[in-house]
Structure formats: C-alpha cells, structure tokens
Amino acid sequence: MPLTDIEVKKIKYTREDGKPQRHYDANGMYLELLATGAKYWRMKYKRPNGKESRLAFGVYPTVSLKEARTKRDEALELIRQGTDPSAQKKEEKLLSVLTQANTFEALAREWMEKQPPKAEITAAKSLYFLSFAFSGFGHKPITDVTAPDVLAVCRVLENQNKLETAHRIKAKCGQVFRYAIATGRSTYDPTQALRGALKPIEAGHR
C-alpha cells in the first residue's frame, strides 16, 4: 500500500540493529529511516544497462511526500526515455558548478541547450567537436581563453591530417564565443585571429 502523509509523519525507527529501516511507497520509492531518526526519500530503479541503482530525493519534512512523488515521476519519465536519472543529475550538478565560473565548457553547454531542436546525430556532432576544446581549455573562464589555446587543440588534429575536424572545432568554438559576446559574458572571439592559421581543406579530402 502507498504511504500516506499521516503515516510518514508518525513512522518511528524501531530496529535494534542500527540498520536503515525502509517503508515503501510505490514504483520503487521508499522512505528510509536512520537510527538517528532522520527520514530520507529514496528510489530504487534499474539503469538502462540493467544494473540496479538508487536516487535520493531529499529529507522529510523538508521534502514532502507529494514533492518526493513528483521527483519520482520525473525520474521514471527519464528512465522511459532511456536516460539514467543519476547520470542526468550529475550532469546538471556539473553544469551548475561550471556555469557559476563562466567557463568555456559551461557556456558551450548552455549554447547547445539554446539551439533549436535538432536531430540527435547533429547535436552529437556538435558535442563531439566541442569535446576536444573541453579537454584543452574547457575549465578556463571564457574570457581567459586565447587564440593560441584554440590553435593548440586544432593543431593536434591537423598533425593527424584530420583537417576537416580541426576546422570544425575552430568553427564550433567561434559559435560559442559569439554566444558569450551576445549574452554579455565576453567581448572577444579569439577564433577571428586564427584565419589562415590552419591548413586549408583540400578538395575531396577525407
């Protein structure tokens, strides 16, 4: 039977071994009581790869039964879409931290979120090209990224004769810098100084 507000309020810890005590609601969600008397909302579920995992929804009474169920339903919807809610939560937390610092990676992810809906393969390509920049200077505040920073990342691909990828990286970085300028987080696009710095893509080159 699903829990009720009255039950949640009255439930007391009764175990003698000090281990967590669980009271289940529905669809994997349960209230976990600790020996200290603290009450935590949690949910047990299976990841898309079949492995079991758990989510934390907060502490009662700060998070009510109704609020916990809303969080559970949101997690279930992500699971139905093939997304691991734990991974999604970590991604959102990382983005929040990065955004506070106005790093290149934070602005790039924000820019991608603002783009019109695209086919998954198109969005994946944008993330692929930008991932090289993330590894090279993604942690830097966007105002500290220089033309040599971008060129160094592109040179790695250029030296592997992956000229198209090198040019795509520069182009995607340019779009991020222009977004940062438009939103008042930067005043300069360092990729503009890289015109002619890379080998041109030869006709028919792959």
Side-chain angles (χ1 to χ4, degrees), residues 3 11-13 15 19-25 28-34 40 42 44 52 54:
L3 295 170
I11 288 174
K12 302 292 184 183
Y13 184 86
R15 295 185 64 139
K19 293 182 179 180
Q21 177 177 312
R22 295 174 182 173
H23 297 266
Y24 286 87
D25 182 53
M29 190 179 88
Y30 58 91
L31 185 67
E32 184 172 85
L33 276 68
L34 303 185
Y40 292 87
R42 303 195 189 283
K44 181 168 62 175
E52 188 175 281
R54 284 174 172 74

Side-chain angles (χ1 to χ4, degrees), residues 5 7 21 42 48 50 92 107 109 202:
D5 287 314
E7 287 176 328
Q21 177 177 312
R42 303 195 189 283
E92 290 173 352
L107 270 294
R109 292 185 180 277
E202 299 174 5

Side-chain angles (χ1 to χ4, degrees), residues 61-78:
T62 303
V63 176
S64 67
L65 173 59
K66 182 179 179 180
E67 290 170 330
R69 284 173 175 166
T70 297
K71 291 175 181 287
R72 176 201 62 197
D73 292 343
E74 291 171 351
L76 289 172
E77 180 59 29
L78 287 173

Side-chain angles (χ1 to χ4, degrees), residues 94-114:
L94 172 62
L95 181 56
S96 176
V97 171
L98 291 173
T99 300
Q100 291 175 11
N102 273 342
T103 62
F104 177 86
E105 182 173 349
L107 270 294
R109 292 185 180 277
E110 183 180 316
W111 169 74
M112 286 191 289
E113 286 290 327
K114 299 292 184 182

